[in-house]
């Protein structure tokens, strides 16, 4: 019922291509920005508090006179790195457990489904908050908490896709011919699952980045002086009238990053 | 019946997970948990070793973790959440108070999102590929890429700081509702609108819908009699999923606008390591989701009795 009508309004591959280009630009800035303009994201210079751009800081300075260019570049490395690590872990776990559930069935599947359903019922941010409180070290806690939240989506997708494929004549023929599970997975299951995984991974990364920024914004995530998108926004918020551009830099960076991921995911939730 | 059992299992697993997570949280608290709880119960001035030992004995904090965990889960199953380590009030009473404030905000947000999203989505779905459809795709993609806390920030800067139309924070009067509810509703509406659009487009392309038009009903009549009921099924199903997204937004937005709800309380409880409060709140949110989903399943079966699910 949620399938697109005969002619989709916009060319979906076009949206994906735009998303990929946007993400490449963001990644390029995060990795090459500090190389192009050498500087330190932590160096303060109170004389330059909220000053406009100059050669050493092309985006101007924040309230403590730190270069926004360098803080932004570091923030755009930190959240995506945590998000990608969490998505990789969650994706691997979801893939393995989902295939296991579909292939084994029985009580293994039932227990995994109950666990996944229960985790679905809990708001993700809540789980991340609890794990952050249990695990010391914020980046590690974020990684663990986000992985715990994100694997469910991969698990559900893998299980649904795998079950249908495992029952197909092709897989049965493969098995009758004596091919091993690894071969069946590589030739029959993976090509079926891979596109779903890419979409889920893009959404998962966006969710993770939003979560990190949201918790940073309410001051329960990363701690100052770590450059983090949400934290930068809340730090610069009091100065929005004196230096609106300073507040806008992390806001626009977050929006661009999330927009790129949303477009890459294909514009709609499955 | 089958559905009821699976929902009950889900609810029980939620309770078990929350119990285990908060138990681990309790054990990992820095400092002596017994002293902190005793302080919470009897006041910081009245704590002594005897009181702390009594608490340690009662909660089994000193010994092996397993008997303590069993007792912890036993308390949880009897809905005994204990007292808040911060305020000393019973957790149940505090949550009852906050839940009301959050529920009103959530309802306002859902209502507002349903006023914005589905009508636009249905109009777009009636003419797939039209200018409204294309525009809606662009706008909803953009809005979805704005985290809810950022939406709140933008609305605060525009509506309250720049124009002074609405209070930036606070609770009580009806006008306090508008800003946080709108911040939540816009994100929900972006998803709502897409679902309504896709459902409408696929229904409008179906033979029964076209037959209704051939037999001479006006466009409006066809939409009322044959369209809306079918569009409402996927919308309702998604409403259940959106509920989690909504609660996540509530957790953050309540903190920003100072709304005395469950999200605000949760963030503060985690900050203060007020484990009983975290536990009670987490359990309420998890069970609330299970309940909402069960109700939505029931509603969907009533609207669409073909019993596909």
């Amino acid at each position: 019922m949620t399938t697109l009508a005969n002619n989709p309004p916009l060319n979906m591959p076009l949206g994906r291509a735009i998303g990929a280009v946007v993400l490449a630009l963001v990644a390029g800035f995060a990795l090459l920005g500090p190389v192009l303009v050498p500087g330190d994201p932590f160096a303060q210079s109170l004389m330059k508090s909220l000053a406009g751009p100059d050669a050493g800081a092309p985006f101007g300075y924040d309230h403590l006179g730190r270069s926004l260019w360098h803080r932004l570049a570091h923030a755009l490395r930190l959240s995506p790195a945590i998000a990608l690590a969490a998505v990789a872990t969650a994706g691997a776990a979801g893939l393995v457990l989902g295939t296991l559930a579909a292939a084994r069935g029985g009580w293994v599947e039932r227990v995994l489904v109950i666990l996944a359903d229960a985790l679905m019922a809990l708001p993700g941010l809540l789980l991340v908050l609890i794990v952050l409180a249990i695990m010391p070290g914020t980046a590690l806690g974020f990684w663990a908490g986000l992985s715990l939240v994100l694997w469910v989506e991969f698990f559900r997708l893998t299980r649904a896709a795998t079950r249908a494929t495992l029952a197909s004549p092709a897989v049965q023929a493969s098995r009758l011919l004596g091919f091993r599970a690894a071969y069946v997975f590589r030739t029959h299951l993976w090509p079926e699952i891979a596109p779903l995984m890419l979409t889920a991974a893009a959404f998962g990364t966006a969710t993770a980045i939003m979560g990190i920024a949201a918790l940073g914004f309410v001051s329960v995530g990363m701690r100052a002086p770590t450059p983090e998108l949400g934290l930068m926004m809340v730090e610069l918020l009091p100065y929005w009238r004196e230096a609106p551009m300073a507040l806008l830099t992390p806001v626009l960076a977050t929006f661009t990053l999330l927009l790129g991921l949303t477009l890459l995911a294909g514009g709609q939730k499955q | 019946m089958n559905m009821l059992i699976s929902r009950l299992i889900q609810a029980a697993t939620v309770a078990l997970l929350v119990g285990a997570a908060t138990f681990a949280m309790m054990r990992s608290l820095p400092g002596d948990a017994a002293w902190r709880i005793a302080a919470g119960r009897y006041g910081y001035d009245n704590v002594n070793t005897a009181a702390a030992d009594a608490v340690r004995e009662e909660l089994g904090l000193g010994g092996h973790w397993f008997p303590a965990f069993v007792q912890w889960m036993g308390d949880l199953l009897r809905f005994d959440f204990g007292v808040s380590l911060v305020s000393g009030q019973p957790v149940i009473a505090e949550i009852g108070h906050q839940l009301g404030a959050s529920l009103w905000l959530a309802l306002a947000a859902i209502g507002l999102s349903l006023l914005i999203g589905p009508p636009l989505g249905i109009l777009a779905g009636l003419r797939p590929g039209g200018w409204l459809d294309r525009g809606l795709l662009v706008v909803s993609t953009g809005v979805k890429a704005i985290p809810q806390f950022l939406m709140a920030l933008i609305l605060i800067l525009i509506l309250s700081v720049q124009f002074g139309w609405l209070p930036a924070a606070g609770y009580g009067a009806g006008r306090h509702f508008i800003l946080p509810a709108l911040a939540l509703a816009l994100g929900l509406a972006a998803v709502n609108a897409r679902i309504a659009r896709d459902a409408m487009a696929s229904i409008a392309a179906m033979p029964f819908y076209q037959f209704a038009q051939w037999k001479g009903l006006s466009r409006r009549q066809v939409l009322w009699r044959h369209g809306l009921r079918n569009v409402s099924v996927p919308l309702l199903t998604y409403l259940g999923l959106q509920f989690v997204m909504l609660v996540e937004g509530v957790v953050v937005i309540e903190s920003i606008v100072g709304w005395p709800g469950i999200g605000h309380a949760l963030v503060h409880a985690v900050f203060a390591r007020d484990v009983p409060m975290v536990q009670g709140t987490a359990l309420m949110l998890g069970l609330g989701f299970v309940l909402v989903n069960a109700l939505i399943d029931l509603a969907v079966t009533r609207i669409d009795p073909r019993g596909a699910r």
Side-chain angles (χ1 to χ4, degrees):
Chain A
M1 204 153 276
T2 51
T3 48
L4 281 168
N6 301 333
N7 48 343
L10 269 189
N11 205 356
M12 277 308 169
L14 178 71
R16 291 205 156 183
I18 296 175
V21 170
V22 167
L23 287 179
L25 288 177
V26 172
F29 167 71
L31 296 176
L32 297 178
V35 180
L36 293 176
V37 184
D40 181 0
F42 297 104
Q44 299 182 8
S45 163
L46 291 177
M47 297 294 288
K48 290 180 178 166
S49 173
L50 299 175
D54 61 26
F59 287 166
Y61 295 88
D62 74 355
H63 58 299
L64 296 176
R66 297 174 294 194
S67 161
L68 280 169
W69 172 279
H70 296 97
R71 289 185 70 71
L72 202 59
H74 274 77
L76 286 174
R77 289 178 191 179
L78 180 68
S79 322
I82 297 176
L84 287 178
V87 165
T89 317
L95 195 62
V96 169
L97 295 177
T99 316
L100 189 75
R104 279 282 167 80
W107 66 268
V108 176
E109 181 171 30
R110 223 170 301 146
V111 167
L112 285 171
V113 168
I114 287 174
L115 193 64
D117 278 355
L119 280 174
M120 279 269 293
L122 292 170
L125 278 185
L126 173 79
L127 279 172
V128 176
L129 268 175
I130 292 181
V131 174
L132 272 179
I134 298 174
M135 302 254 304
T138 328
L140 200 66
F142 265 123
W143 168 77
L146 289 167
S147 306
L148 191 66
V149 174
L150 294 173
W151 75 271
V152 176
E153 187 71 23
F154 293 99
F155 168 77
R156 290 162 59 92
L157 283 175
T158 310
R159 175 169 161 263
T162 311
R163 207 162 38 175
T165 317
L166 278 180
S168 69
V171 171
Q172 283 171 359
S174 238
R175 281 195 174 147
L176 285 175
L177 286 171
F179 286 113
R180 302 278 159 134
Y183 177 88
V184 172
F185 181 83
R186 222 173 39 240
T187 44
H188 295 291
L189 298 182
W190 180 243
E192 202 63 30
I193 302 171
L196 296 175
M197 288 278 128
L198 176 72
T199 303
F203 266 120
T205 313
T207 309
I209 288 170
M210 268 195 216
I212 297 171
L215 292 182
F217 192 75
V218 293
S219 310
V220 280
M222 292 292 167
R223 299 284 157 81
T226 312
E228 191 274 322
L229 296 166
L231 204 55
M232 285 174 74
M233 285 181 222
V234 76
E235 283 171 352
L236 290 164
L237 187 55
Y239 310 100
W240 78 279
R241 210 183 275 277
E242 295 103 297
M245 285 315 292
L247 175 59
L248 268 180
T249 38
V251 168
L252 287 180
T254 312
F255 177 72
T256 313
L257 188 57
L258 292 175
L259 185 67
L261 287 166
T262 312
L263 288 173
L264 187 70
Q268 61 158 358
K269 187 123 181 141
Q270 60 320 101
Chain B
M1 210 57 220
N2 209 353
M3 185 204 92
L4 191 67
I5 291 171
S6 80
R7 293 297 177 199
L8 281 178
I9 294 178
Q10 196 186 3
T13 325
V14 165
L16 192 71
L17 280 177
V18 169
T22 43
F23 182 79
M25 190 174 167
M26 189 67 161
R27 290 262 153 169
S28 69
L29 280 182
D32 190 336
W35 279 87
R36 289 183 67 142
I37 298 168
R41 287 190 188 174
Y42 311 119
Y44 275 92
D45 296 335
N46 301 325
V47 185
N48 50 34
T49 321
D53 283 341
V55 168
R56 200 188 313 274
E57 185 68 27
E58 183 192 330
L59 295 180
L61 287 171
H64 193 259
W65 67 270
F66 189 72
F69 180 69
V70 171
Q71 165 145 23
W72 180 271
M73 292 309 298
D75 287 349
L76 201 59
L77 288 181
R78 283 184 279 112
F79 278 89
D80 176 7
F81 300 138
V83 293
S84 159
L85 299 187
V86 172
S87 69
Q89 300 288 317
V91 170
I92 283 279
E94 297 227 339
I95 290 177
H97 190 68
Q98 293 145 359
L99 204 58
S102 289
L103 277 181
W104 282 116
L105 180 58
L107 285 178
I110 287 184
L112 211 51
S113 81
L114 287 179
L115 285 180
I116 303 169
L120 285 173
I122 288 171
L123 282 178
L126 285 173
R127 286 181 206 283
W131 63 268
L132 182 65
D133 193 22
R134 283 159 188 272
L136 192 67
L137 181 67
V138 172
V139 171
S140 66
T141 309
V143 170
K144 246 191 296 179
I146 303 177
Q148 277 159 330
F149 78 93
L150 201 52
M151 189 66 90
L153 174 66
I154 294 168
L155 290 178
I156 286 173
L157 286 185
I158 296 175
L159 295 181
S160 31
V161 182
Q162 190 65 41
F163 292 108
W165 288 336
L166 292 168
Y171 175 71
R175 46 200 264 109
H176 288 123
F177 266 100
I178 303 174
L179 204 149
L182 194 62
L184 290 167
L186 288 176
L188 293 179
V191 185
N192 268 342
R194 293 307 303 161
I195 293 153
R197 181 256 170 227
D198 289 349
M200 192 66 236
S202 65
I203 289 158
M206 280 186 189
F208 81 87
Y209 200 83
Q210 282 159 1
F211 176 71
Q213 285 179 325
W214 288 334
K215 76 184 179 190
L217 294 180
S218 72
R219 293 183 69 88
R220 184 184 298 259
Q221 283 169 321
V222 180
L223 183 64
W224 273 118
R225 292 189 198 169
H226 301 283
L228 292 185
R229 190 183 180 114
N230 284 302
V231 170
S232 65
V233 172
L235 258 186
L236 261 181
T237 315
Y238 260 89
L239 217 55
L241 288 175
Q242 286 185 352
F243 188 74
V244 172
M245 195 175 130
L246 181 70
V247 169
E248 254 170 58
V250 164
V251 168
V252 174
I253 286 192
E254 285 186 349
S255 278
I256 295 173
V257 302
W259 195 266
I262 209 157
H264 186 66
L266 180 69
V267 169
H268 274 259
V270 169
F271 236 169
R273 299 291 189 266
D274 187 349
V275 181
M277 275 301 291
V278 175
Q279 181 180 39
T281 312
L283 205 59
M284 276 303 155
L285 294 179
L287 296 183
F289 173 79
V290 176
L291 181 69
V292 167
N293 251 4
L295 291 178
I296 283 180
D297 276 358
L298 278 179
V300 167
T301 359
R302 277 196 79 97
I303 295 173
D304 185 3
R306 285 171 297 182
R309 291 156 49 85

